[in-house]
Amino acid sequence: MRILVTGASSDEGRTVIAALLNDGHTVVGLSRTSPGITHERFVWYFMDLSDERYTYAIGNLAKDDPIRIVVHCAPPQYLRAVRDVMAPYTGLIWSGKGFMESGLAPCLVSA
């Protein structure tokens, strides 16, 4: 399953990414600084969610290769922008903390 993680360079983002990769998922990470993760199923893109030019580009990541879930680990003030752009492309948008606390990470089935 292909999953997008915003705030990829934050402690929370890196924790979520590690759990998802460990469970066999493909992860797209977005942040202003590199999370320093090297993995064959991980790709990172520079993204400044405070800049609308970048925010609207998020949708382009999902057009050709579907993103099933978005885990938002970036600051909460950017959640609405991410949700508005990604709503047509994905069914689930989680906060990073809520995602990890839900216990859902190990229950996802790779597609």
Side-chain angles (χ1 to χ4, degrees):
M1 181 177 302
R2 191 163 179 243
I3 300 172
L4 176 75
V5 178
T6 63
S9 63
S10 68
D11 288 341
E12 183 178 30
R14 288 192 304 270
T15 299
V16 168
I17 291 166
L20 293 170
L21 291 172
N22 189 52
D23 289 337
H25 301 287
T26 299
V27 181
V28 177
L30 304 178
S31 57
R32 289 181 291 187
T33 57
S34 171
I37 297 170
T38 303
H39 195 282
E40 63 185 18
R41 291 188 320 276
F42 176 74
V43 61
W44 171 77
Y45 296 101
F46 172 85
M47 182 70 60
D48 184 349
L49 295 175
S50 67
D51 187 331
E52 286 184 7
R53 294 174 297 174
Y54 290 109
T55 304
Y56 287 107
I58 296 172
N60 292 330
L61 297 172
K63 285 183 179 176
D64 296 326
D65 191 2
I67 291 174
R68 303 292 184 206
I69 295 175
V70 175
V71 182
H72 185 71
C73 298
Q77 65 264 31
Y78 304 120
L79 178 57
R80 176 173 284 195
V82 171
R83 184 186 62 219
D84 291 349
V85 171
M86 289 303 297
Y89 305 106
T90 187
L92 294 171
I93 300 177
W94 287 78
S95 71
K97 184 176 180 183
F99 183 75
M100 293 304 286
E101 288 178 353
S102 73
L104 183 61
C107 300
L108 296 174
V109 177
S110 295

